[in-house]
Amino acid sequence: MNNNWRELFASWISLYYRQGLLIDKLEVYREHFPGQDDLEGAMAAIKRLQDVYNLKAQDFTRGKYGLATESGSMITAMDAFKIGRGAFLSEDMENTRQWMGESLQILDLEPNNSKEKPSRFSVLDHLAWSSYKVTMS
């Protein structure tokens, strides 16, 4: 779910100009690279799986349904934040709370040099609001 294709493609283009690589061949296949719609579709699918099968966010982040990464997590803190933010925007506060909690835990485990991280404030803000909404309903 990492949305690093833009950065990766930009680095390839940079290499092309510096080293004369045949990156222009990739341009032919660029339309087949995952885009924002693919990312949003994957997040919606995860949300549906959670709802239908009563799965927890930690089932995904702890590698129960896939391979774990170096930090021991299936996904990054930013991935968990984005899924939680999607749940927040669709007013699914229980899933928002789960995903923001997982994002916070992964954030503490990820190396400090990770490029894309959610701000701790933003994660805590979403977590606090969703927890408030869940307890008030």
Side-chain angles (χ1 to χ4, degrees):
M1 290 214 356
N2 276 333
N3 197 11
N4 295 333
W5 284 109
R6 288 186 198 117
E7 291 175 18
L8 186 59
F9 192 77
S11 71
W12 285 340
I13 294 298
S14 174
L15 283 172
Y16 173 76
Y17 289 117
R18 284 187 285 160
Q19 298 177 5
L21 298 174
L22 298 177
I23 302 300
D24 57 334
K25 297 289 184 187
L26 287 176
E27 189 66 38
V28 175
Y29 299 103
R30 187 175 190 181
E31 67 188 48
H32 301 292
F33 291 169
Q36 187 65 29
D37 290 341
D38 298 311
L39 177 65
E40 290 170 6
M43 290 188 312
I46 289 172
K47 185 181 176 309
R48 281 193 303 273
L49 285 171
Q50 279 187 274
D51 293 342
V52 171
Y53 295 107
N54 196 27
L55 303 175
K56 304 295 180 206
Q58 73 182 23
D59 294 339
F60 293 93
T61 61
R62 308 277 163 84
K64 185 172 183 180
Y65 304 116
L67 301 173
T69 62
E70 290 175 12
S71 67
S73 174
M74 176 68 179
I75 60 176
T76 66
M78 183 56 90
D79 293 335
F81 177 79
K82 287 179 180 179
I83 296 170
R85 177 79 178 143
F88 179 82
L89 293 174
S90 66
E91 298 181 8
D92 180 356
M93 295 301 149
E94 179 55 39
N95 280 332
T96 300
R97 189 170 68 141
Q98 288 181 32
W99 282 104
M100 291 302 167
E102 289 300 308
S103 180
L104 193 59
Q105 286 183 348
I106 297 168
L107 195 59
D108 292 335
L109 297 174
E110 284 183 340
N112 289 332
N113 60 357
S114 183
K115 291 180 185 176
E116 189 179 66
K117 284 187 173 186
S119 73
R120 184 173 294 278
F121 174 81
S122 188
V123 173
L124 289 171
D125 187 41
H126 284 81
L127 184 59
W129 181 253
S130 61
S131 294
Y132 166 75
K133 294 297 270 185
V134 166
T135 57
M136 297 310 280
S137 57

